[in-house]
């Protein structure tokens, strides 16, 4: 029986500083294949279902950051909040090295967009909750594990240059790791300058008039990331670690919107928007591991996170009237935390108990002007303090050689100071079953109670204005101080078959019973004559579906050929507790899938492949405020090729989104009598992207 928490699987590859022979270059490729084999073996043996993405899979398709990787990952529902077409409600809890990703409510750029794939060792996806991590796991947990030093001395670098349509972009990553005495170290840096230029069209139909609007968006994000990891091992029983990560970014988004009314060739609307921001995130952590005996382990961590974001937006409207609207905002968050755990292996049991303590503070301030006159609302400046404590216990129990049962219990207490004080306490039990039917076949089942606490931006009455872009799809956004936490009971069952070539085929089902479901409602405010979006506890809902996965070598047909595919098919229902209305959960796609093929020509040291990703549409009926929304499905096709030049360098080529995917979203507004008063159709077109990468390891 294996105990992953106490005996981790490390894949070590030593790269010599001297030049390798051609034969050694082939050995290097073989090491990467063996890495994949070890990952599949770990996945097969884990008592809790866990998908692992590592090695070449992280960089194969030219994903520029962790957010792009997660969007491609099956079983993950995460949204960057920018595009209407990103599936999911952000239910998947994202951790970095086991630590929650804390973000500012006004942040333009997600921290996940600043983590280069080169910084990542592996991505672990757990589709149901477990006591060890967090109770906030309604959509599962993703743990992004950053690289740690594992070599006596090695350096690597990756230079990426590309074009988004005809707009240049570039990224440089460099890393060095080594060991001096009892200290192992790793330092890396990523510098990027990424740009995009997209177009969209907006059609608004009203009973007596219509308008066509055309929008050009130019986005630029410049970032610098620095990572330091130190491991001090004074003895075989003790280990101390230091982790430091600093992320700096400067982003800028220029938008020009031109509108025409009733088919006229004369411009009726002309708006120029400029949005700028500067952000900083600092994450530091020190920790220790102490082996009391061959079967007992104590671990502890102390951590501090800080984030600052300053933004300014300006909207200049010259038609139909002349006005200048501005919004300046500042946001700062800080996190102090401490974790501790004790693990022991005793007979057929592996027991882990622990505690987590965390203090989170955030301050937001906003200032707005209209033609130079201050229009700031007193509610636009807000702050919160949250203290959270948790206790958990988990036992991995082996019954013979083929059955492992993992019960767990987590207790969390949250105290919030936000316009008064509030306390939230909850118990989150979980139970996971692994039944090894044969050496190649697993049957898994799990049940877990989870929660989703409202984020600060969902609570805060501060308004994030859409300025002169205000419409059905670009409302002002504000929070709701009266929100309650969502609660869910999640069930999963999965059958897995592992091929001898280290591939997998699996089929699974899931069912989630959700209470106090939070959804975002858009309504038209007659006092301000603006569209406003605000979250509400709607009622109780259900989400169910099926997940399929295949990863298989086709060496028996064509040497070096492999295929992969995964799909999620789902449905939902929601009953409004106030009105009794029953409908699907908003913006829930019926299905989505990824399919791809890879081929390695060993004699040429060349690997190439293709991947197609499709996100199904949705058709939401009229909600309680008289709004409906639908979206057409869309697909993206990516191609790649990687060629090893010699023992040191590898060249890569990626062609991304060659289908130029267009996201079409239609919203309709009805009056209290059910009469259609407005239809808005947005078409957001993204552009193809080409990336050329040169990678070297010494």
């Amino acid at each position: 029986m294996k105990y992953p928490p106490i005996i981790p699987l490390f894949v070590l590859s030593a790269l010599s500083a001297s030049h390798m022979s051609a034969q050694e270059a082939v050995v290097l490729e073989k090491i990467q294949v063996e890495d994949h084999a070890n990952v599949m073996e770990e996945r097969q043996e884990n008592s809790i279902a866990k998908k692992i993405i590592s090695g070449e899979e992280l960089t194969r398709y030219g994903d520029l950051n962790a957010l792009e990787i997660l969007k491609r990952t099956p079983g993950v529902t995460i949204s960057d909040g920018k595009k209407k077409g990103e599936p999911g409600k952000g239910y998947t809890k994202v951790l970095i090295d086991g630590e929650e990703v804390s973000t500012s409510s006004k942040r333009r750029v997600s921290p996940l967009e600043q983590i280069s794939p080169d910084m990542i060792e592996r991505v672990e996806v757990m589709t149901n909750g477990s006591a060890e991590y967090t109770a906030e796991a309604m959509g599962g947990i993703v743990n992004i594990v950053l690289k740690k030093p594992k070599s006596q001395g090695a350096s690597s670098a990756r230079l990426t240059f590309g074009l988004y349509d005809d707009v240049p972009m570039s990224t440089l990553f460099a890393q060095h790791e080594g060991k001096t005495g009892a200290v192992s170290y790793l330092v890396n840096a990523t510098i990027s300058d990424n740009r995009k230029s997209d177009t969209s069209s907006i059609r608004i139909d009203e009973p007596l008039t219509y308008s066509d609007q055309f929008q050009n968006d130019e986005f630029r994000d410049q970032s610098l990331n620095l990572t330091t990891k130190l491991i001090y091992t004074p003895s075989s029983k003790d280990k101390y670690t230091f982790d430091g990560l600093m992320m700096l970014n400067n982003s800028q988004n220029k938008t020009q919107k031109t509108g025409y009314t009733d088919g006229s060739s004369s411009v009726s609307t002309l708006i120029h928007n400029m949005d700028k921001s500067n952000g900083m995130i600092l994450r530091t952590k020190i920790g220790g591991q102490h082996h009391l005996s061959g079967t007992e382990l104590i671990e502890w961590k102390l951590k501090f996170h800080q984030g600052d974001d300053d933004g300014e937006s300006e909207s200049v409207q010259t038609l139909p009237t002349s006005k200048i609207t501005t919004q300046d905002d500042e946001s700062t968050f800080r996190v102090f935390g401490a974790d501790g755990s004790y693990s022991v292996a005793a007979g057929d049991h592996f027991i882990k108990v622990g505690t987590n303590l965390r203090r989170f503070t955030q301050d937001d301030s906003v200032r707005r002007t209209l033609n130079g006159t201050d229009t700031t609302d007193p509610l636009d400046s807000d702050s919160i303090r949250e203290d959270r404590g948790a206790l958990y216990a988990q036992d991995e129990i082996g019954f013979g050689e083929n059955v492992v049962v993992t019960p767990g219990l987590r207790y969390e207490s949250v105290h919030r100071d936000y316009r008064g004080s509030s306390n939230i306490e909850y118990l989150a039990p979980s139970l996971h079953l692994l039944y090894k039917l044969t050496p190649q076949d697993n049957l898994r089942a799990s049940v877990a109670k989870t929660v989703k606490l409202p984020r600060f931006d969902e609570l805060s009455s501060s308004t994030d204005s859409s300025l002169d872009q205000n419409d059905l799809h670009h409302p002002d956004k504000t929070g709701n101080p009266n929100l309650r936490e969502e609660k869910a009971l999640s069930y999963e069952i999965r059958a897995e078959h592992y091929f001898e070539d280290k591939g997998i085929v699996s089929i699974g089902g899931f069912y989630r019973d959700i209470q106090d479901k939070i959804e975002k409602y858009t309504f038209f405010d007659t006092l301000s004559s603006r569209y406003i979006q605000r979250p509400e506890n709607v009622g109780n809902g259900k989400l169910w579906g099926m997940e399929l996965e295949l990863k298989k070598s086709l060496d028996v047909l064509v040497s070096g050929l492999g295929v992969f595919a995964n799909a999620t098919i789902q449905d939902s229902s929601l009953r409004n507790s106030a009105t009794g209305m029953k409908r699907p959960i908003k913006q829930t796609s019926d299905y989505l899938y990824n399919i791809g093929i890879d081929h390695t020509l060993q004699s040429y040291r060349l690997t190439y492949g293709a991947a197609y990703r499709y996100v199904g549409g949705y058709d939401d009926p009229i909600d309680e405020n008289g709004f409906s929304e639908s979206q057409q499905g869309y697909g993206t096709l990516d191609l790649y090729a990687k060629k090893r030049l010699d023992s040191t360098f590898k060249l890569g080529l990626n062609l991304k989104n060659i289908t130029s995917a267009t996201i079409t979203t239609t919203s309709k507004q009805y009056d209290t009598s059910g009469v259609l008063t407005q239809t808005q159709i947005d078409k957001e077109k993204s552009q193809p992207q080409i990336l050329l990468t040169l990678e070297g390891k010494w």
Side-chain angles (χ1 to χ4, degrees):
M1 180 176 175
K2 302 182 77 171
Y3 298 106
I6 201 168
I7 310 176
L9 297 176
F10 290 103
V11 181
L12 300 177
S13 58
L15 300 179
S16 172
S18 61
H19 292 289
M20 293 185 293
S21 66
Q23 182 179 358
E24 287 173 312
V26 174
V27 171
L28 179 58
E29 300 290 352
K30 184 179 179 181
I31 289 174
Q32 295 170 350
V33 173
E34 291 174 349
D35 286 351
H36 170 71
N38 288 335
V39 164
M40 293 303 292
E41 289 174 2
E42 180 180 355
R43 175 176 173 177
Q44 183 177 359
E45 294 295 329
N46 273 327
S47 61
I48 295 177
K50 181 188 294 185
K51 301 172 187 175
I52 302 173
I53 305 167
S54 65
E56 286 288 312
E57 288 186 89
L58 296 170
T59 58
R60 180 175 296 164
Y61 292 102
D63 294 328
L64 297 176
N65 52 60
L67 185 64
E68 292 186 4
I69 293 173
L70 294 184
K71 289 178 184 178
R72 196 188 296 276
T73 303
V76 175
T77 59
I78 186 169
S79 173
D80 59 10
K82 295 175 186 174
K83 291 188 176 181
K84 300 290 282 184
E86 298 305 338
K89 314 299 178 300
Y91 277 136
T92 300
K93 193 69 171 179
V94 180
L95 313 174
I96 299 177
D97 281 339
E99 309 293 336
E100 182 179 340
V101 177
S102 302
T103 61
S104 163
S105 62
K106 297 292 186 286
R107 185 165 298 280
R108 271 76 166 179
V109 180
S110 166
L112 299 177
E113 292 181 89
Q114 295 179 255
I115 297 179
S116 163
D118 298 286
M119 300 166 59
I120 302 173
E121 181 71 28
R122 56 198 269 160
V123 176
E124 303 171 340
V125 181
M126 292 152 279
T127 53
N128 211 349
S130 72
E132 182 180 351
Y133 288 94
T134 173
E136 292 192 75
M138 289 184 65
I141 300 169
V142 168
N143 185 26
I144 300 173
V145 181
L146 301 183
K147 289 181 177 178
K148 297 176 175 61
K150 56 183 182 180
S151 175
Q152 293 287 344
S155 299
S156 61
R158 179 191 293 264
L159 175 63
T160 301
F161 177 78
L163 294 173
Y164 185 90
D165 195 13
D166 58 354
V167 180
M169 56 198 307
S170 59
T171 300
L172 173 63
F173 170 83
Q175 176 176 289
H176 180 70
E177 56 185 317
K179 186 174 183 179
T180 303
V183 178
S184 300
Y185 61 89
L186 177 147
V187 292
N188 62 45
T190 306
I191 303 173
S192 64
D193 186 357
N194 294 326
R195 310 184 193 193
K196 291 185 177 181
S197 180
D198 289 328
T199 60
S200 59
S201 64
I202 303 170
R203 174 69 179 255
I204 300 178
D205 288 313
E206 297 177 308
L208 300 177
T209 185
Y210 70 90
S211 66
D212 291 296
Q213 301 174 2
F214 302 92
Q215 183 169 305
N216 295 317
D217 289 283
E218 296 181 5
F219 177 77
R220 183 177 187 180
D221 180 66
Q222 298 170 298
S223 65
L224 170 64
N225 302 333
L226 300 173
T227 302
T228 300
K229 289 182 177 286
L230 303 175
I231 300 177
Y232 173 54
T233 311
S235 69
S236 59
K237 293 185 177 182
D238 300 296
K239 180 167 68 175
Y240 301 90
T241 61
F242 169 80
D243 294 54
L245 172 62
M246 182 176 68
M247 298 185 286
L248 305 173
N249 84 280
N250 176 282
S251 66
Q252 178 177 287
N253 192 11
K254 297 180 182 179
T255 302
Q256 177 178 306
K257 180 184 287 187
T258 306
Y260 304 86
T261 303
D262 296 330
S264 171
S265 59
S266 300
V267 177
S268 59
T269 303
L270 185 60
I271 300 171
H272 291 83
N273 280 1
M274 172 67 79
D275 184 88
K276 300 178 180 179
S277 74
N278 293 291
M280 183 276 293
I281 294 179
L282 178 66
R283 297 170 63 92
T284 59
K285 177 177 64 177
I286 59 173
Q289 293 183 355
H290 309 282
H291 292 269
L292 304 182
S293 66
T295 59
E296 295 177 282
L297 176 67
I298 289 179
E299 299 176 279
W300 58 269
K301 300 174 187 174
L302 300 175
K303 53 195 172 184
F304 171 72
H305 304 163
Q306 177 174 325
D308 299 283
D309 193 72
D310 299 330
E312 54 184 66
S313 302
E314 181 182 68
S315 179
V316 179
Q317 177 179 292
T318 53
L319 289 174
T321 59
S322 178
K323 63 177 179 177
I324 300 176
T325 310
T326 67
Q327 175 176 288
D328 298 334
D329 54 79
E330 297 180 2
S331 183
T332 299
F333 74 81
R334 289 180 175 84
V335 175
F336 300 89
D339 300 339
S341 67
Y342 169 76
S343 305
V344 59
D348 291 327
H349 295 261
F350 175 69
I351 302 169
K352 186 171 186 178
V353 296
T355 183
N356 310 120
L357 300 174
R358 181 176 182 267
R359 166 165 289 187
F360 168 82
T361 62
Q362 182 163 318
D363 298 284
D364 287 353
S365 64
V366 178
R367 181 178 180 272
R368 272 189 291 274
T369 67
L370 175 60
N371 293 327
T373 302
D374 194 322
T375 59
T376 307
D377 189 297
L379 295 177
D380 284 332
S381 293
D382 234 339
S383 62
I384 188 174
R385 190 184 79 179
E386 177 185 282
D387 293 321
R388 182 181 303 195
L391 296 170
Y392 66 87
Q394 185 168 286
D395 188 6
E396 185 178 302
I397 310 170
F399 294 90
E401 294 294 325
N402 300 322
V403 178
V404 182
V405 178
T406 308
L409 181 64
R410 187 179 183 91
Y411 166 78
E412 292 193 5
S413 175
V414 180
H415 176 82
R416 279 179 167 171
D417 287 327
Y418 175 68
R419 300 187 180 180
S421 298
S422 63
N423 291 284
I424 305 171
E425 294 183 338
Y426 44 88
L427 283 172
S430 60
L431 180 65
H432 296 257
L433 168 69
L434 167 62
Y435 179 31
K436 300 180 181 180
L437 300 171
T438 72
Q440 284 78 41
D441 297 284
N442 284 346
L443 180 65
R444 297 182 181 273
S446 65
V447 56
K449 186 177 180 181
T450 57
V451 300
K452 181 177 182 292
L453 300 182
R455 301 188 310 270
F456 181 42
D457 59 303
E458 294 177 316
L459 294 170
S460 173
S461 297
S462 174
T463 299
D464 186 9
S465 175
S466 57
L467 303 180
D468 293 320
Q469 291 192 346
N470 190 263
D471 57 32
L472 273 172
H473 291 161
H474 305 90
D476 296 342
K477 296 179 181 180
T478 187
N480 180 357
N482 298 316
L483 278 184
R484 300 181 302 276
E485 70 275 13
E486 294 182 51
K487 297 176 283 291
L489 193 60
S490 301
Y491 303 87
E492 292 197 358
I493 187 169
R494 183 181 305 274
E496 303 170 335
H497 175 74
Y498 292 85
F499 299 108
E500 292 184 359
D501 57 15
K502 306 306 177 184
I504 183 176
V505 60
S506 71
I507 180 171
F510 61 89
Y511 177 85
R512 295 189 178 100
D513 191 350
I514 307 171
Q515 298 179 13
D516 290 323
K517 176 76 176 68
I518 297 175
E519 289 197 325
K520 295 179 180 179
Y521 276 92
T522 299
F523 62 94
F524 185 74
D525 182 52
T526 55
L527 293 177
S528 62
S529 296
R530 295 181 68 85
Y531 290 98
I532 298 175
Q533 185 183 84
R534 183 171 58 208
E536 301 281 352
N537 288 106
V538 183
N540 298 333
K542 303 179 189 301
L543 178 68
W544 62 91
M546 177 184 297
E547 292 183 342
L548 307 170
E549 181 184 9
L550 170 67
K551 187 177 293 185
K552 182 73 174 73
S553 168
L554 300 181
D555 259 340
V556 293
L557 300 177
V558 179
S559 177
L561 184 65
V563 296
F564 68 90
N566 55 72
T568 300
I569 305 167
Q570 59 188 8
D571 201 354
S572 66
S573 68
L574 179 81
R575 185 177 295 277
N576 188 299
S577 56
T579 66
M581 177 187 291
K582 187 176 181 180
R583 57 171 174 81
I585 295 175
K586 286 188 173 186
Q587 298 181 8
T588 302
S589 300
D590 294 334
Y591 65 95
L592 55 94
Y593 64 84
N594 295 277
I595 186 169
I597 187 169
D598 302 301
H599 188 210
T600 298
L601 298 174
Q602 193 66 51
S603 59
Y604 294 96
R605 288 184 283 178
L606 172 68
T607 301
Y608 62 94
Y612 182 74
R613 176 175 181 259
Y614 186 83
V615 179
Y618 58 84
D619 189 2
D620 295 340
I622 303 173
D623 68 14
E624 295 79 351
N625 286 341
F627 290 82
S628 68
E629 182 175 289
S630 63
Q631 185 178 102
Q632 297 178 11
Y634 66 96
T636 58
L637 176 62
D638 300 334
L639 307 177
Y640 83 94
K642 292 184 180 294
K643 163 72 173 174
R644 177 162 292 283
L645 302 178
D646 57 24
S647 60
T648 301
F649 293 104
K650 181 188 292 185
L651 187 66
L653 175 66
N654 292 91
L655 303 177
K656 302 182 63 178
N657 187 31
I658 62 176
T659 49
S660 300
T662 297
I663 301 173
T664 302
T665 308
T666 302
S667 290
K668 297 182 179 181
Q669 180 182 357
Y670 299 82
D671 63 18
T672 54
S673 301
V675 177
L676 179 64
T677 60
Q678 185 180 125
T679 300
Q680 179 172 331
I681 303 174
D682 284 19
K683 295 184 178 181
E684 302 174 76
K685 184 176 182 180
S686 55
Q687 304 299 327
Q689 190 174 352
I690 181 171
L691 300 173
L692 186 64
T693 301
L694 179 63
E695 177 185 357
K697 294 185 178 181
W698 301 269

